[in-house]
């Protein structure tokens, strides 16, 4: 296997993020490995932080009170 340069990794991550904004570091690493690029997940996480990329996912909404359901 071979390692890829930082710039190539950044470009590939950005192209994955544009196409799949819900991908996190694990899924990006999985798809890069399927293409033959062996990159550690920690490296992907570090570059995601540097680029400001955050996976889009539904966050918990458990602390909000249901105003309509309150009697009285």
């Amino acid at each position: 296997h071979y390692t890829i340069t930082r710039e190539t990794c950044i470009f590939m991550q950005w192209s994955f993020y544009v196409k799949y904004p819900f991908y996190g570091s694990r899924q990006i690493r999985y798809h890069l490995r399927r293409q033959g690029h062996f990159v550690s997940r920690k490296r992907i996480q570090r570059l995601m932080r540097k680029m400001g990329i955050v996976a889009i996912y539904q966050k918990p909404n458990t602390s909000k009170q249901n105003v309509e359901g309150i009697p009285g």
Side-chain angles (χ1 to χ4, degrees):
H1 68 197
Y2 75 99
T3 58
I4 58 177
T5 64
R6 182 174 171 263
E7 291 79 20
T8 306
C9 190
I10 288 174
F11 173 75
M12 294 176 94
Q13 277 184 286
W14 185 252
S15 62
F16 275 124
Y17 182 72
V18 169
K19 196 169 184 179
Y20 307 104
F22 46 87
Y23 274 13
S25 62
R26 289 184 172 127
Q27 284 185 307
I28 289 175
R29 190 195 98 199
Y30 171 75
H31 283 283
L32 286 175
R33 284 195 179 199
R34 287 188 70 202
Q35 292 180 355
H37 306 291
F38 294 92
V39 183
S40 71
R41 189 170 65 89
K42 295 290 184 178
R43 183 176 185 184
I44 292 172
Q45 285 177 329
R46 186 174 61 247
L47 291 173
M48 284 178 76
R49 267 195 311 273
K50 194 170 204 162
M51 295 166 60
I53 293 176
V54 179
I56 297 172
Y57 62 95
Q58 186 172 358
K59 293 165 180 66
N61 198 10
T62 58
S63 62
K64 288 190 178 177
Q65 193 176 31
N66 185 4
V67 178
E68 297 174 3
I70 298 174

